[in-house]
Amino acid sequence: MADIRSEKTKVKNERRKDPRLEFHCNAMVQGIDGILTITDISLGGIFIEIGEIDKVAVGKIVTINVKLPTETQAVRFKAKVINKTNRGIGCQFISLDDREKEAICLCFEYFKDTLPAGCK
């Protein structure tokens, strides 16, 4: 279900080049037990809330399985952990195939009216 922030927040040293869609969605990460929560996604990467942050190291390559709200089947992404916070991990996609890009773009198309101005 979409949970879009009502206003853009400025982040120091913003590294993102792609707009991100903020919503909550369940995911599974290979090597981590349980169902985790995605809080945002873009064509560049994904943020996943993880309770046991010590189980994942920056630089690790992970496989993420997620059932996006616009897809009938789960999508599998390969990503590199590039950031850790006390809430979770920020991952950069290693490469996206056409199906994966299409799935993310469909989410943006479906939820575009909920994005803050300037992100569409």
Side-chain angles (χ1 to χ4, degrees):
M1 188 58 66
D3 181 18
I4 307 299
R5 293 182 187 164
S6 60
E7 62 183 66
K8 290 169 85 173
T9 57
K10 292 186 178 182
V11 178
K12 290 182 181 178
N13 301 321
E14 180 65 55
R15 295 179 301 209
R16 292 178 190 94
K17 62 180 179 180
D18 299 303
R20 61 189 163 143
L21 180 63
E22 299 183 26
F23 67 100
H24 292 252
C25 185
N26 292 335
M28 295 179 68
V29 177
Q30 187 176 6
I32 299 175
D33 294 333
I35 296 175
L36 308 172
T37 302
I38 292 173
T39 59
D40 71 59
I41 191 169
S42 75
L43 282 174
I46 199 165
F47 187 86
I48 305 169
E49 291 184 344
I50 295 179
E52 297 179 46
I53 197 69
D54 295 337
K55 289 189 172 188
V56 183
V58 171
K60 182 176 180 171
I61 304 299
V62 293
T63 300
I64 304 161
N65 291 301
V66 58
K67 171 70 174 62
L68 294 171
T70 54
E71 297 298 302
T72 57
Q73 295 183 16
V75 179
R76 179 176 289 188
F77 300 105
K78 286 258 188 220
K80 180 179 182 180
V81 177
I82 59 168
N83 186 33
K84 283 175 52 169
T85 70
N86 59 349
R87 279 186 33 227
I89 56 173
C91 300
Q92 182 177 32
F93 295 129
I94 294 174
S95 64
L96 295 176
D97 65 24
D98 290 341
R99 178 179 181 262
E100 294 161 348
K101 285 179 189 174
E102 187 175 310
I104 295 170
C105 288
L106 187 57
C107 275
F108 273 85
E109 182 63 28
Y110 188 79
F111 294 112
K112 71 180 177 185
D113 292 335
T114 61
L115 288 169
C119 290
K120 297 178 186 179

